[in-house]
Amino acid sequence: MKLKIIEIPNPLLRQKSEPIEKVDEALSSLMKDMLETMYSANGVGLAAPQVGILKRVVVIDVAHDDERPAPFLMANPEIIWRSEEKEECSEGCLSVPNQFASVERSYAVKVRYLNEKNEKVELLAEGFLARAVQHELDHLDGIVFIDYVSPLKRKMMIKRLEKQRRKAAKEE
Ligand code: NI
């Protein structure tokens, strides 16, 4: 089932999400719905608060369109190690549609989480996957990527987003 993605400035995106007790059938079905929602929006990651659910759950798939899908479904994800090496790269977010900005993040991270079968897993992620992990985990603490850009740039991005919405509303 496809879920509705909320966008800034919805205050739910600014809340801290709650840990889950275990990945039961209801939760793994939420993960699958989130994955379907993310794929249909052409995203590479989605956190539960982005569909208005304040639980520590994220889904990620950074495989290219011509590659086999490689989804990660994570509950209670925790970064347990970060590389000293950082990398700056352009980023976007389904809750800030069509806006992009360069963000500096750790080049690699190790993340511990519960998968869709409630198994404890550790993943060493690098490059774009590591970036997606850090971006999605931020959502669980109410942080959106625009928080890392300068106030002026942030204001411009929000303005462009509002303009885009007005235009879309007019065309309807
Ligand atoms: Ni995002």
Side-chain angles (χ1 to χ4, degrees), residues 5-167:
I5 298 175
I6 60 173
E7 297 177 3
I8 60 158
N10 190 312
L12 285 175
L13 290 167
R14 295 314 196 167
Q15 304 281 312
K16 213 171 150 72
S17 290
E18 292 290 328
I20 60 109
E21 258 171 49
K22 77 180 271 222
V23 181
D24 53 16
E25 216 164 294
L27 205 88
S28 87
S29 132
L30 168 68
M31 287 167 149
K32 277 167 203 143
D33 287 345
M34 284 171 59
L35 199 64
E36 185 188 336
T37 305
M38 181 191 84
Y39 285 143
S40 92
N42 290 315
V44 295
L46 188 71
Q50 292 183 275
V51 291
I53 296 169
L54 295 176
K55 286 186 178 155
R56 302 190 81 82
V57 174
V58 307
V59 298
I60 294 172
D61 188 344
V62 299
H64 289 283
D65 291 343
D66 56 356
E67 289 173 338
R68 192 193 291 259
F72 293 97
L73 292 77
M74 305 181 176
N76 295 348
E78 248 183 296
I79 290 176
I80 53 173
W81 173 83
R82 290 175 182 277
S83 66
E84 301 249 314
E85 190 187 348
K86 308 246 180 184
E87 189 176 54
E88 200 172 312
C89 195
S90 177
E91 230 170 80
C93 178
L94 294 175
S95 294
V96 194
N98 303 316
Q99 304 303 316
F100 302 90
S102 200
V103 179
E104 189 186 80
R105 304 228 186 233
S106 302
Y107 173 72
V109 294
K110 197 182 248 184
V111 58
R112 181 186 290 153
Y113 60 94
L114 293 172
N115 69 11
E116 67 278 17
K117 295 176 197 145
N118 199 47
E119 297 160 338
K120 204 180 249 188
V121 179
E122 277 183 18
L123 170 74
L124 177 64
E126 291 184 338
F128 195 52
L129 179 58
R131 174 167 299 275
V133 166
Q134 294 169 82
H135 176 116
E136 297 315 324
L137 266 63
D138 271 353
H139 276 300
L140 305 182
D141 292 318
I143 299 165
V144 181
F145 82 108
I146 56 169
D147 298 348
Y148 297 111
V149 307
S150 73
L152 182 67
K153 170 114 209 236
R154 182 159 57 241
K155 225 180 189 174
M156 271 169 45
M157 290 170 78
I158 292 168
K159 241 188 203 153
R160 276 203 303 261
L161 186 60
E162 283 165 355
K163 199 171 157 191
Q164 191 180 293
R165 281 183 187 139
R166 280 198 303 273
K167 200 172 157 229

